[in-house]
Amino acid sequence: MSQTALLAALKSIVGEANLLTAAADMETYINEERGLFRGSPLAVARPGTTEEVSEVVAACAAAGVAIVPQGGNTGLVGGGLADGEVIVATGRLNRIRSLNPEDFTMTVEAGCVLEDIRNAAERADRLFPLSLGAQGSCQIGGNISTNVGGINTLRYGTARDNILGLEVVLPDGRIWNGLRALTKDNTGYSLRNLFVGAEGTLGIVTAAVLKLYPKPVQMETAFCALESPEAALELLARARRASGDQVAAFELICRDGVRQSVTYLEGVTDPLDAEYPWYVLTEFTSANPEEPLRDTFEGFLGDALEDGVILDAVLAESLEQRRSLWRIREELPEAEKYEGGSIKHDISVPVRSIPEFIRRATAAVLEFMPGSLPVPFGHAGDGNIHFNVTQPKGMPVEEFFTHWHPMSRIVYDIVDELNGSFSAEHGVGRFKIEYLERYRPEVELDMMRRIKAALDPQNTMNPGALFGPPLE
Ligand SMILES: Cc1cc2nc3c(=O)[nH]c(=O)nc-3n(C[C@H](O)[C@H](O)[C@H](O)COP(=O)(O)OP(=O)(O)OC[C@H]3O[C@@H](n4cnc5c(N)ncnc54)[C@H](O)[C@@H]3O)c2cc1C
């Protein structure tokens, strides 16, 4: 089938308004948030039903044209980037098919925006726990395909831990209905887990059964000052014990991170009177209105202060104050931009190795590039540190970014020595392909390639991600 014939076929499947081919119409699907990557797709198809997705995929397969699935396009590793492929955008698959408070599940289509899902659960007195800075625009299909983490992973796990069933359109166009709302289902291989984190390389997720939880009705938040990451680990262990493992968030931030947020973000101020080397933003929550959560929280902080584990702390006295404490952490990537380019490393190591990682990576980066500024922060409760490095003052940003991969190799070598991961949250996409090959054993890569070949023998499902040629 010629390209012209394929485009005509796609138009008849999704309707004229939902097949975009003009560059201006495709802009939001091409551009990535930070302007690091830019794609050039053949077209963008916007199917409105699973059946339409299936027909689009079958038509592309028949024409031998590859597909890139795309949700909210907030991914940070170029996984949704298309180069001659047809982007299948899931934004019109946005229905909540059912919500069952009694069995704590909801079934949603892939294009539902994460925030809308959270709000719908909340209206039913339930919690859907995935939460991240991009939740106003990322979609659940993208969250599943990147196995998203976010701020509540410590308590509720990643996307993988919160998915019970999936509906997927396979690379040949067949629909797999695995929408079973079952916690227990030991009937052979766990196929749904293949698609979670597959970054669109094995099929298009069109719907999912999500796990819900009782809605928290109490929330206690504190911003604590500490001497070191070692003290943060001691605080984490105490928090888990004192709360009966009800720590919803535990975010570590270095002084320079706090300085960047309070200097550049409008309305954000330093909640403490003095400056300290490290900070932890932590939160306990409870779904039980009778539980004396405030007493537990104050007791935990008081003991930590008395024992010298923390140096000072501020407790949020209102939702507004909680919001402003969270802005220091959540909007930090935005604040970083005011000091120029930032080279990002989204890594994880065993929790106990966080201090060693930060110490060694900081020293190695400063030796590699004197004048640069490591700004480590992140979900320390999960061992996940965003080891971001701000450029040296006065260096042109383009020049700084030419050092991205050489610097990353230095950081990732340390991560590897500590048995960590070079991509804790964001995935591999196209940007980190060389690291997958460098840091994963051949037997692991071989298993992945065999799974890919079995499900997508024509290599038409997001061929550039995971196994494609590394981006220049
Ligand atoms: C401000 C900000 C904060 C962020 N915070 C976090 C964070 O805390 N934790 C975290 O893990 N990530 C975070 N991210 C990264 C990003 O938001 C997540 O990776 C998100 O899950 C991507 O969802 P999306 O709908 O935008 O997917 P997209 O960017 O559209 O796609 C991402 C990948 O998934 C594939 N894909 C998308 N939809 C489907 C589908 N239906 N079926 C099959 N494949 C599909 C794409 O092909 C691509 O490979 C953040 C990003 C930003 C911009």
Short mmCIF file of all heavy atoms in Angstrom, two decimals, residues 33 68-81 88 90 93 110-111 131-135 137-151 195 198-201 203-206 329-330 333 346 379 384 386 424-427 429 462 465, ligand 1:
data_model
loop_
_atom_site.label_atom_id
_atom_site.label_comp_id
_atom_site.label_asym_id
_atom_site.label_seq_id
_atom_site.Cartn_x
_atom_site.Cartn_y
_atom_site.Cartn_z
N GLU A 33 8.64 18.85 25.78
CA GLU A 33 8.56 19.94 26.75
C GLU A 33 9.82 20.79 26.85
O GLU A 33 9.76 22.01 26.82
CB GLU A 33 8.24 19.31 28.12
CG GLU A 33 7.66 20.27 29.10
CD GLU A 33 8.42 20.22 30.44
OE1 GLU A 33 9.42 19.49 30.55
OE2 GLU A 33 8.01 20.93 31.34
N VAL A 68 4.13 5.05 16.40
CA VAL A 68 4.59 5.48 17.73
C VAL A 68 3.35 5.84 18.55
O VAL A 68 2.66 6.80 18.22
CB VAL A 68 5.54 6.70 17.65
CG1 VAL A 68 5.87 7.20 19.05
CG2 VAL A 68 6.82 6.34 16.91
N PRO A 69 3.05 5.08 19.60
CA PRO A 69 1.92 5.48 20.47
C PRO A 69 2.29 6.74 21.24
O PRO A 69 3.45 6.91 21.62
CB PRO A 69 1.76 4.30 21.43
CG PRO A 69 2.63 3.20 20.92
CD PRO A 69 3.69 3.83 20.08
N GLN A 70 1.34 7.58 21.46
CA GLN A 70 1.62 8.79 22.25
C GLN A 70 0.43 9.14 23.12
O GLN A 70 -0.71 9.08 22.70
CB GLN A 70 1.95 9.97 21.32
CG GLN A 70 2.74 11.05 22.05
CD GLN A 70 3.00 12.29 21.19
OE1 GLN A 70 2.20 13.22 21.20
NE2 GLN A 70 4.11 12.32 20.49
N GLY A 71 0.75 9.51 24.40
CA GLY A 71 -0.28 9.97 25.32
C GLY A 71 -0.17 11.47 25.46
O GLY A 71 -0.39 12.23 24.51
N GLY A 72 0.22 11.93 26.65
CA GLY A 72 0.29 13.37 26.89
C GLY A 72 1.58 14.01 26.42
O GLY A 72 1.76 15.22 26.55
N ASN A 73 2.50 13.22 25.88
CA ASN A 73 3.79 13.72 25.38
C ASN A 73 4.57 14.46 26.48
O ASN A 73 5.21 15.46 26.22
CB ASN A 73 3.58 14.64 24.16
CG ASN A 73 4.87 14.87 23.39
OD1 ASN A 73 5.82 14.09 23.51
ND2 ASN A 73 4.91 15.95 22.62
N THR A 74 4.52 13.94 27.70
CA THR A 74 5.32 14.53 28.79
C THR A 74 6.53 13.67 29.13
O THR A 74 7.28 13.99 30.05
CB THR A 74 4.48 14.70 30.09
OG1 THR A 74 4.17 13.40 30.60
CG2 THR A 74 3.20 15.46 29.85
N GLY A 75 6.72 12.58 28.43
CA GLY A 75 7.86 11.69 28.68
C GLY A 75 9.17 12.45 28.49
O GLY A 75 9.24 13.39 27.71
N LEU A 76 10.20 12.00 29.20
CA LEU A 76 11.44 12.78 29.25
C LEU A 76 12.61 12.09 28.56
O LEU A 76 13.74 12.56 28.67
CB LEU A 76 11.80 13.07 30.72
CG LEU A 76 10.77 13.95 31.46
CD1 LEU A 76 11.08 14.01 32.95
CD2 LEU A 76 10.70 15.34 30.89
N VAL A 77 12.33 10.99 27.83
CA VAL A 77 13.45 10.28 27.18
C VAL A 77 13.23 10.07 25.68
O VAL A 77 13.85 9.19 25.07
CB VAL A 77 13.72 8.92 27.88
CG1 VAL A 77 14.37 9.13 29.24
CG2 VAL A 77 12.46 8.10 27.99
N GLY A 78 12.33 10.87 25.09
CA GLY A 78 12.15 10.81 23.64
C GLY A 78 11.45 9.55 23.16
O GLY A 78 11.53 9.21 21.98
N GLY A 79 10.70 8.86 24.05
CA GLY A 79 10.04 7.61 23.65
C GLY A 79 8.87 7.84 22.71
O GLY A 79 8.49 6.95 21.95
N GLY A 80 8.28 9.03 22.76
CA GLY A 80 7.13 9.31 21.90
C GLY A 80 7.51 10.04 20.62
O GLY A 80 6.65 10.55 19.90
N LEU A 81 8.80 10.06 20.35
CA LEU A 81 9.32 10.78 19.19
C LEU A 81 9.14 9.94 17.93
O LEU A 81 9.48 8.77 17.93
CB LEU A 81 10.82 10.99 19.44
CG LEU A 81 11.58 11.98 18.61
CD1 LEU A 81 11.10 13.39 18.93
CD2 LEU A 81 13.08 11.86 18.93
N VAL A 88 0.14 7.43 16.90
CA VAL A 88 -1.24 7.13 17.30
C VAL A 88 -1.46 7.78 18.66
O VAL A 88 -0.92 7.33 19.67
CB VAL A 88 -1.50 5.61 17.35
CG1 VAL A 88 -2.92 5.33 17.84
CG2 VAL A 88 -1.29 5.00 15.97
N THR A 90 -3.59 8.97 21.85
CA THR A 90 -4.70 8.31 22.54
C THR A 90 -5.66 9.28 23.24
O THR A 90 -6.58 8.83 23.93
CB THR A 90 -4.14 7.33 23.60
OG1 THR A 90 -3.18 8.04 24.40
CG2 THR A 90 -3.48 6.13 22.96
N LEU A 93 -9.38 8.65 23.59
CA LEU A 93 -9.85 7.47 24.36
C LEU A 93 -9.91 7.91 25.82
O LEU A 93 -9.07 7.51 26.63
CB LEU A 93 -8.86 6.32 24.21
CG LEU A 93 -8.62 5.75 22.82
CD1 LEU A 93 -7.40 4.84 22.81
CD2 LEU A 93 -9.85 4.96 22.37
N ALA A 110 -7.16 4.63 27.92
CA ALA A 110 -5.74 5.04 27.98
C ALA A 110 -5.53 6.55 27.93
O ALA A 110 -4.57 7.06 28.48
CB ALA A 110 -4.98 4.39 26.83
N GLY A 111 -6.46 7.27 27.27
CA GLY A 111 -6.24 8.70 27.10
C GLY A 111 -6.75 9.55 28.26
O GLY A 111 -6.67 10.78 28.22
N SER A 131 0.88 10.02 41.47
CA SER A 131 0.87 11.49 41.53
C SER A 131 2.24 12.00 41.12
O SER A 131 3.26 11.55 41.63
CB SER A 131 0.54 11.92 42.96
OG SER A 131 0.61 13.32 43.08
N LEU A 132 2.26 12.95 40.17
CA LEU A 132 3.53 13.51 39.71
C LEU A 132 3.29 14.90 39.14
O LEU A 132 2.14 15.30 38.92
CB LEU A 132 4.20 12.61 38.66
CG LEU A 132 3.40 12.21 37.44
CD1 LEU A 132 4.30 12.14 36.22
CD2 LEU A 132 2.78 10.83 37.69
N GLY A 133 4.39 15.62 38.94
CA GLY A 133 4.30 17.00 38.48
C GLY A 133 3.52 17.16 37.19
O GLY A 133 2.89 18.19 36.96
N ALA A 134 3.55 16.14 36.30
CA ALA A 134 2.91 16.26 34.99
C ALA A 134 1.47 15.75 35.00
O ALA A 134 0.88 15.56 33.94
CB ALA A 134 3.74 15.50 33.97
N GLN A 135 0.87 15.55 36.19
CA GLN A 135 -0.42 14.84 36.23
C GLN A 135 -1.57 15.58 35.55
O GLN A 135 -2.57 14.98 35.20
CB GLN A 135 -0.79 14.46 37.65
CG GLN A 135 -1.11 15.60 38.58
CD GLN A 135 -1.18 15.13 40.04
OE1 GLN A 135 -0.51 14.17 40.43
NE2 GLN A 135 -1.97 15.78 40.84
N SER A 137 -1.42 16.77 32.59
CA SER A 137 -1.40 16.53 31.14
C SER A 137 -0.99 15.11 30.74
O SER A 137 -1.33 14.68 29.65
CB SER A 137 -0.49 17.55 30.45
OG SER A 137 0.75 17.61 31.09
N CYS A 138 -0.28 14.37 31.60
CA CYS A 138 0.08 13.00 31.19
C CYS A 138 -1.17 12.12 31.25
O CYS A 138 -2.12 12.42 31.96
CB CYS A 138 1.20 12.43 32.06
SG CYS A 138 0.81 12.29 33.81
N GLN A 139 -1.15 11.05 30.46
CA GLN A 139 -2.31 10.17 30.37
C GLN A 139 -1.99 8.80 30.96
O GLN A 139 -0.83 8.37 30.95
CB GLN A 139 -2.72 10.01 28.90
CG GLN A 139 -3.11 11.33 28.26
CD GLN A 139 -3.34 11.22 26.75
OE1 GLN A 139 -3.38 10.12 26.19
NE2 GLN A 139 -3.51 12.37 26.10
N ILE A 140 -3.03 8.10 31.39
CA ILE A 140 -2.78 6.84 32.10
C ILE A 140 -2.10 5.80 31.20
O ILE A 140 -1.26 5.03 31.66
CB ILE A 140 -4.09 6.27 32.74
CG1 ILE A 140 -3.77 5.15 33.73
CG2 ILE A 140 -5.09 5.83 31.70
CD1 ILE A 140 -3.08 5.59 34.99
N GLY A 141 -2.39 5.84 29.90
CA GLY A 141 -1.71 4.90 28.98
C GLY A 141 -0.22 5.16 28.97
O GLY A 141 0.60 4.22 28.96
N GLY A 142 0.17 6.44 29.00
CA GLY A 142 1.59 6.80 29.06
C GLY A 142 2.18 6.45 30.42
O GLY A 142 3.31 5.96 30.52
N ASN A 143 1.40 6.65 31.47
CA ASN A 143 1.88 6.30 32.83
C ASN A 143 2.16 4.80 32.93
O ASN A 143 3.16 4.39 33.53
CB ASN A 143 0.83 6.67 33.89
CG ASN A 143 0.48 8.14 33.92
OD1 ASN A 143 -0.66 8.51 34.20
ND2 ASN A 143 1.43 8.99 33.61
N ILE A 144 1.27 4.02 32.36
CA ILE A 144 1.45 2.56 32.40
C ILE A 144 2.66 2.18 31.54
O ILE A 144 3.50 1.37 31.95
CB ILE A 144 0.17 1.86 31.90
CG1 ILE A 144 -0.97 2.09 32.90
CG2 ILE A 144 0.40 0.37 31.65
CD1 ILE A 144 -2.34 1.73 32.39
N SER A 145 2.76 2.79 30.38
CA SER A 145 3.82 2.40 29.44
C SER A 145 5.20 2.84 29.89
O SER A 145 6.21 2.32 29.41
CB SER A 145 3.51 2.96 28.05
OG SER A 145 2.24 2.49 27.64
N THR A 146 5.26 3.81 30.82
CA THR A 146 6.55 4.19 31.38
C THR A 146 6.70 3.68 32.83
O THR A 146 7.66 4.03 33.50
CB THR A 146 6.73 5.73 31.40
OG1 THR A 146 5.64 6.31 32.13
CG2 THR A 146 6.75 6.30 29.99
N ASN A 147 5.72 2.91 33.28
CA ASN A 147 5.71 2.44 34.68
C ASN A 147 6.06 3.59 35.62
O ASN A 147 7.05 3.53 36.38
CB ASN A 147 6.68 1.27 34.90
CG ASN A 147 6.54 0.69 36.31
OD1 ASN A 147 5.47 0.80 36.93
ND2 ASN A 147 7.59 0.10 36.81
N VAL A 148 5.22 4.61 35.57
CA VAL A 148 5.52 5.85 36.27
C VAL A 148 5.63 5.64 37.79
O VAL A 148 5.01 4.73 38.35
CB VAL A 148 4.42 6.89 35.91
CG1 VAL A 148 3.20 6.71 36.76
CG2 VAL A 148 4.93 8.29 35.94
N GLY A 149 6.47 6.48 38.41
CA GLY A 149 6.63 6.40 39.87
C GLY A 149 5.91 7.58 40.52
O GLY A 149 4.71 7.55 40.71
N GLY A 150 6.69 8.61 40.85
CA GLY A 150 6.08 9.81 41.44
C GLY A 150 6.25 9.86 42.93
O GLY A 150 7.01 9.08 43.52
N ILE A 151 5.50 10.80 43.55
CA ILE A 151 5.81 11.13 44.94
C ILE A 151 5.26 10.13 45.96
O ILE A 151 5.69 10.14 47.11
CB ILE A 151 5.32 12.56 45.31
CG1 ILE A 151 3.84 12.70 45.01
CG2 ILE A 151 6.15 13.62 44.62
CD1 ILE A 151 3.27 14.03 45.46
N PHE A 195 3.51 -5.32 29.25
CA PHE A 195 3.19 -4.04 28.63
C PHE A 195 3.46 -2.85 29.55
O PHE A 195 3.62 -1.73 29.08
CB PHE A 195 1.72 -4.03 28.17
CG PHE A 195 1.46 -5.07 27.11
CD1 PHE A 195 0.95 -6.31 27.45
CD2 PHE A 195 1.77 -4.82 25.79
CE1 PHE A 195 0.74 -7.29 26.49
CE2 PHE A 195 1.57 -5.78 24.81
CZ PHE A 195 1.05 -7.02 25.16
N ALA A 198 6.77 -0.93 28.89
CA ALA A 198 7.29 -1.34 27.56
C ALA A 198 7.49 -0.14 26.63
O ALA A 198 7.99 -0.29 25.53
CB ALA A 198 6.38 -2.36 26.91
N GLU A 199 7.08 1.02 27.06
CA GLU A 199 7.28 2.28 26.30
C GLU A 199 6.72 2.17 24.87
O GLU A 199 7.31 2.70 23.92
CB GLU A 199 8.75 2.67 26.30
CG GLU A 199 9.30 2.87 27.72
CD GLU A 199 10.72 3.38 27.75
OE1 GLU A 199 11.00 4.40 27.10
OE2 GLU A 199 11.57 2.75 28.42
N GLY A 200 5.59 1.49 24.74
CA GLY A 200 4.92 1.43 23.44
C GLY A 200 5.60 0.55 22.43
O GLY A 200 5.28 0.61 21.24
N THR A 201 6.52 -0.33 22.86
CA THR A 201 7.24 -1.16 21.88
C THR A 201 6.56 -2.50 21.63
O THR A 201 6.96 -3.24 20.73
CB THR A 201 8.68 -1.44 22.36
OG1 THR A 201 8.62 -2.12 23.61
CG2 THR A 201 9.49 -0.17 22.49
N GLY A 203 2.84 -2.89 21.94
CA GLY A 203 1.44 -2.73 21.60
C GLY A 203 0.93 -1.41 22.14
O GLY A 203 1.68 -0.68 22.81
N ILE A 204 -0.33 -1.12 21.83
CA ILE A 204 -0.91 0.14 22.33
C ILE A 204 -1.90 -0.20 23.45
O ILE A 204 -2.89 -0.92 23.21
CB ILE A 204 -1.63 0.91 21.21
CG1 ILE A 204 -0.65 1.19 20.06
CG2 ILE A 204 -2.23 2.21 21.75
CD1 ILE A 204 -1.22 2.03 18.94
N VAL A 205 -1.63 0.30 24.63
CA VAL A 205 -2.56 0.12 25.76
C VAL A 205 -3.78 0.99 25.46
O VAL A 205 -3.64 2.19 25.17
CB VAL A 205 -1.90 0.58 27.08
CG1 VAL A 205 -2.91 0.57 28.21
CG2 VAL A 205 -0.69 -0.29 27.40
N THR A 206 -4.96 0.39 25.48
CA THR A 206 -6.17 1.18 25.20
C THR A 206 -7.06 1.36 26.43
O THR A 206 -7.88 2.28 26.47
CB THR A 206 -6.98 0.54 24.06
OG1 THR A 206 -7.13 -0.86 24.34
CG2 THR A 206 -6.28 0.73 22.72
N ARG A 329 9.68 21.60 46.31
CA ARG A 329 10.15 20.34 45.71
C ARG A 329 9.63 20.18 44.27
O ARG A 329 10.41 19.89 43.36
CB ARG A 329 9.70 19.17 46.60
CG ARG A 329 9.70 17.82 45.95
CD ARG A 329 11.09 17.39 45.51
NE ARG A 329 11.01 16.13 44.76
CZ ARG A 329 10.85 16.05 43.45
NH1 ARG A 329 10.78 17.15 42.70
NH2 ARG A 329 10.78 14.87 42.86
N GLU A 330 8.32 20.37 44.11
CA GLU A 330 7.74 20.02 42.81
C GLU A 330 8.16 20.97 41.71
O GLU A 330 8.27 20.58 40.54
CB GLU A 330 6.21 19.98 42.92
CG GLU A 330 5.74 18.71 43.60
CD GLU A 330 4.26 18.50 43.51
OE1 GLU A 330 3.52 19.51 43.45
OE2 GLU A 330 3.84 17.34 43.53
N PRO A 333 12.51 21.67 39.29
CA PRO A 333 13.03 21.61 37.92
C PRO A 333 12.78 22.91 37.15
O PRO A 333 13.58 23.31 36.29
CB PRO A 333 12.25 20.45 37.29
CG PRO A 333 11.87 19.58 38.45
CD PRO A 333 11.61 20.54 39.59
N ASP A 346 18.22 10.50 36.29
CA ASP A 346 17.10 9.98 37.09
C ASP A 346 17.49 8.56 37.52
O ASP A 346 17.18 7.60 36.84
CB ASP A 346 15.85 10.00 36.21
CG ASP A 346 14.80 9.02 36.64
OD1 ASP A 346 14.53 8.94 37.83
OD2 ASP A 346 14.24 8.32 35.75
N HIS A 379 13.10 11.23 45.36
CA HIS A 379 12.24 10.34 46.15
C HIS A 379 13.14 9.40 46.96
O HIS A 379 13.25 8.21 46.64
CB HIS A 379 11.33 9.55 45.22
CG HIS A 379 10.72 10.36 44.10
ND1 HIS A 379 9.89 11.43 44.32
CD2 HIS A 379 10.83 10.27 42.77
CE1 HIS A 379 9.50 11.94 43.16
NE2 HIS A 379 10.07 11.25 42.19
N ASN A 384 15.47 6.72 44.86
CA ASN A 384 15.46 7.40 43.55
C ASN A 384 15.91 8.85 43.71
O ASN A 384 15.24 9.66 44.33
CB ASN A 384 14.04 7.33 43.00
CG ASN A 384 13.83 8.05 41.67
OD1 ASN A 384 12.69 8.24 41.26
ND2 ASN A 384 14.89 8.44 40.98
N HIS A 386 17.18 12.34 41.75
CA HIS A 386 17.37 13.11 40.51
C HIS A 386 18.69 13.86 40.69
O HIS A 386 18.74 14.87 41.38
CB HIS A 386 16.20 14.07 40.27
CG HIS A 386 14.90 13.34 40.11
ND1 HIS A 386 14.68 12.43 39.11
CD2 HIS A 386 13.75 13.36 40.83
CE1 HIS A 386 13.46 11.92 39.21
NE2 HIS A 386 12.88 12.47 40.25
N ALA A 424 15.51 5.29 36.83
CA ALA A 424 14.60 4.83 37.89
C ALA A 424 13.15 5.00 37.46
O ALA A 424 12.31 4.16 37.74
CB ALA A 424 14.86 5.62 39.16
N GLU A 425 12.85 6.12 36.82
CA GLU A 425 11.46 6.46 36.55
C GLU A 425 11.16 6.70 35.08
O GLU A 425 10.10 6.35 34.60
CB GLU A 425 11.10 7.77 37.28
CG GLU A 425 10.99 7.65 38.78
CD GLU A 425 10.22 8.79 39.38
OE1 GLU A 425 10.48 9.95 38.99
OE2 GLU A 425 9.35 8.53 40.22
N HIS A 426 12.05 7.37 34.37
CA HIS A 426 11.65 7.94 33.08
C HIS A 426 11.71 6.97 31.93
O HIS A 426 11.14 7.23 30.88
CB HIS A 426 12.51 9.18 32.78
CG HIS A 426 12.36 10.25 33.83
ND1 HIS A 426 13.28 11.23 34.04
CD2 HIS A 426 11.37 10.46 34.73
CE1 HIS A 426 12.87 12.00 35.04
NE2 HIS A 426 11.72 11.55 35.48
N GLY A 427 12.39 5.84 32.10
CA GLY A 427 12.48 4.86 31.03
C GLY A 427 13.73 5.03 30.19
O GLY A 427 14.66 5.76 30.55
N GLY A 429 13.42 5.02 26.38
CA GLY A 429 13.02 5.79 25.20
C GLY A 429 14.05 5.69 24.10
O GLY A 429 14.57 4.61 23.79
N ASN A 462 6.73 1.25 17.70
CA ASN A 462 7.74 2.15 18.27
C ASN A 462 9.17 1.61 18.09
O ASN A 462 9.90 1.41 19.08
CB ASN A 462 7.45 2.43 19.76
CG ASN A 462 8.00 3.80 20.18
OD1 ASN A 462 8.65 4.50 19.39
ND2 ASN A 462 7.74 4.18 21.41
N ALA A 465 12.36 3.18 19.96
CA ALA A 465 12.57 3.15 21.42
C ALA A 465 13.20 1.83 21.85
O ALA A 465 12.98 0.79 21.23
CB ALA A 465 11.24 3.34 22.12
C1 LIG B 1 7.01 18.10 35.00
C2 LIG B 1 7.19 16.62 34.85
C3 LIG B 1 7.26 15.82 35.98
C4 LIG B 1 7.45 14.45 35.85
N1 LIG B 1 7.51 13.70 36.99
C5 LIG B 1 7.67 12.37 36.88
C6 LIG B 1 7.73 11.57 38.07
O1 LIG B 1 7.70 12.06 39.19
N2 LIG B 1 7.85 10.24 37.91
C7 LIG B 1 7.91 9.64 36.68
O2 LIG B 1 8.01 8.42 36.61
N3 LIG B 1 7.86 10.39 35.54
C8 LIG B 1 7.74 11.71 35.61
N4 LIG B 1 7.70 12.48 34.47
C9 LIG B 1 7.79 11.83 33.16
C10 LIG B 1 6.41 11.62 32.46
O3 LIG B 1 5.44 12.48 32.93
C11 LIG B 1 5.92 10.23 32.62
O4 LIG B 1 6.83 9.38 31.94
C12 LIG B 1 4.49 9.96 32.11
O5 LIG B 1 4.09 8.70 32.59
C13 LIG B 1 4.35 9.97 30.60
O6 LIG B 1 2.97 9.96 30.26
P1 LIG B 1 2.47 10.56 28.88
O7 LIG B 1 1.01 10.29 28.74
O8 LIG B 1 2.87 11.97 28.74
O9 LIG B 1 3.27 9.63 27.85
P2 LIG B 1 4.06 10.06 26.53
O10 LIG B 1 5.14 11.02 26.82
O11 LIG B 1 3.11 10.43 25.47
O12 LIG B 1 4.72 8.65 26.15
C14 LIG B 1 5.71 8.07 26.95
C15 LIG B 1 6.06 6.69 26.39
O13 LIG B 1 4.95 5.80 26.52
C16 LIG B 1 4.49 5.36 25.25
N5 LIG B 1 3.02 5.40 25.30
C17 LIG B 1 2.24 6.47 25.60
N6 LIG B 1 0.95 6.09 25.61
C18 LIG B 1 0.92 4.78 25.31
C19 LIG B 1 -0.13 3.82 25.16
N7 LIG B 1 -1.40 4.13 25.34
N8 LIG B 1 0.21 2.56 24.84
C20 LIG B 1 1.52 2.19 24.66
N9 LIG B 1 2.54 3.06 24.76
C21 LIG B 1 2.23 4.34 25.10
C22 LIG B 1 5.11 6.30 24.24
O14 LIG B 1 5.31 5.67 22.98
C23 LIG B 1 6.41 6.68 24.90
O15 LIG B 1 7.38 5.71 24.67
C24 LIG B 1 7.55 13.86 34.56
C25 LIG B 1 7.47 14.66 33.43
C26 LIG B 1 7.31 16.03 33.55
C27 LIG B 1 7.22 16.87 32.30
#
